[in-house]
Amino acid sequence: MNLKTTVINFFKTNPHLGPSLFLFCLGVIFLTTTRFATVSGALFGAGASLLGAWISDINTRSREFNSKIKKENEAVQYLSPELLRTVVRLLHIQERAIINFSVNWAENIKNGELRLPLASNIHDLVNLGDLKEDFLPQLPHLYPNAIQFKDLNGSKAIKLVLYYDSLFELEIFVKDWWKREGQVPSNLFNQISHISEKSLRLALECLAEFEINHSNYDTPHVGTIPERISKALEGASQTRERCSANFAKAKASRTDPDPEFAEKSTGCQNMQPT
């Protein structure tokens, strides 16, 4: 932006200042002549009046800006505890999902073929004590109806909306697909893990926007909340790589490869339940 454009924009945002300066300049010109001395005084008076209006406008805008900043800071403090509680819950869901996926995947390989139709007890082969309710995220209660939400700036509000919407997506999937007949458990837990990871990545962006890196709503841990999220994402990726390697090894050791087994046992990939 060049100097000319900067000056023009300055006077556009300060409409009283331009006329005020113009009237002062005219007053100085008329002051040099005795004939127009009275006019000069009037011009100075009008210029001073506009200058006062400009100063008043500056003060008003400053108060409004400071008030907006204060309200936004208060909104962040008000909404942060709920945000942190949902993130801590999501970390637990991701941890249990990837563990259940890994154990169920090992059971798939142990039992060899996964033929259609699946055995009626397919969802009972592995029981780590987790219930459907353990994989339901904690949904927000304050968002979006809390008046403080409206005080967030655009970027913070958008990040919060995207994150919370992903939690609703996770809840719907768990309720709709939990132990659904005809579905391989490892695939279902894998998908829960993938959706949780998506939410955790959105949570990272949200926490950065809110400038939060700790939590008082969980048992003590080493590392900040963002560090724990990054570690969880890395651990999930490593688990899938290990499962994929185990599947390749088991497949290679089979003397009579079954295409149906290969097709149904792709839980290490980002497979959607069918």
Side-chain angles (χ1 to χ4, degrees):
M1 184 180 296
N2 56 39
L3 180 60
K4 180 180 178 181
T5 304
T6 302
V7 172
I8 292 174
N9 289 337
F10 175 77
F11 281 105
K12 282 183 177 180
T13 55
N14 298 276
H16 297 93
L17 184 59
S20 175
L21 293 177
F22 178 71
L23 291 174
F24 276 121
C25 291
L26 283 180
V28 172
I29 294 174
F30 283 117
L31 188 61
T32 59
T33 63
T34 307
R35 182 179 177 183
F36 296 102
T38 304
V39 176
S40 175
L43 291 172
F44 279 130
S49 177
L50 287 174
L51 183 62
W54 173 66
I55 294 174
S56 177
D57 182 55
I58 288 290
N59 291 333
T60 299
R61 280 187 286 173
S62 177
R63 285 194 299 270
E64 291 176 351
F65 176 79
N66 292 333
S67 176
K68 181 179 179 180
I69 294 298
K70 180 182 178 182
K71 287 183 178 180
E72 182 177 350
N73 290 336
E74 291 175 347
V76 168
Q77 294 178 16
Y78 182 75
L79 297 171
S80 290
E82 179 171 78
L83 170 61
L84 283 166
R85 285 194 295 269
T86 63
V87 174
V88 169
R89 171 68 173 177
L90 192 58
L91 277 167
H92 173 75
I93 292 173
Q94 166 62 9
E95 176 187 2
R96 298 310 303 167
I98 202 66
I99 290 175
N100 274 271
F101 160 70
S102 177
V103 176
N104 275 278
W105 183 243
E107 186 68 21
N108 294 348
I109 297 177
K110 175 183 176 182
N111 290 333
E113 300 175 357
L114 287 177
R115 296 181 179 276
L116 291 176
L118 296 174
S120 59
N121 67 334
I122 186 71
H123 292 285
D124 299 320
L125 293 178
V126 175
N127 184 5
L128 300 183
D130 295 294
L131 305 175
K132 177 175 71 173
E133 290 74 19
D134 297 325
F135 295 93
L136 295 176
Q138 184 178 76
L139 300 178
H141 297 288
L142 300 177
Y143 161 86
N145 296 321
I147 190 173
Q148 287 83 355
F149 176 73
K150 300 178 182 179
D151 293 325
L152 296 177
N153 65 35
S155 181
K156 286 185 175 64
I158 291 173
K159 298 294 186 185
L160 202 62
V161 168
L162 292 175
Y163 168 63
Y164 282 149
D165 279 357
S166 72
L167 296 185
F168 287 104
E169 178 186 353
L170 175 59
E171 180 193 46
I172 291 173
F173 179 84
V174 173
K175 288 183 175 179
D176 287 350
W177 289 90
W178 181 260
K179 290 189 176 182
R180 181 177 289 195
E181 184 179 355
Q183 296 299 317
V184 182
S186 58
N187 289 344
L188 297 181
F189 283 116
N190 189 39
Q191 189 62 15
I192 291 174
S193 173
H194 276 293
I195 298 175
S196 299
E197 286 182 39
K198 173 186 174 183
S199 295
L200 286 173
R201 290 189 176 92
L202 292 171
L204 273 177
E205 297 180 7
C206 204
L207 292 171
E209 194 69 41
F210 276 63
E211 299 182 355
I212 299 173
N213 62 6
H214 66 281
S215 174
N216 296 324
Y217 305 93
D218 194 17
T219 54
H221 287 80
V222 177
T224 64
I225 287 290
E227 289 172 346
R228 290 175 57 194
I229 292 176
S230 299
K231 184 177 180 180
L233 296 176
E234 181 181 359
S237 178
Q238 292 174 350
T239 298
R240 292 194 186 92
E241 290 177 1
R242 184 177 67 253
C243 288
S244 181
N246 291 341
F247 169 71
K249 182 178 179 181
K251 183 179 178 182
S253 67
R254 289 175 55 83
T255 57
D256 181 22
D258 186 345
E260 188 176 12
F261 172 68
E263 179 181 355
K264 290 299 294 180
S265 300
T266 53
C268 284
Q269 309 301 322
N270 187 9
M271 179 179 179
Q272 294 280 351
T274 57

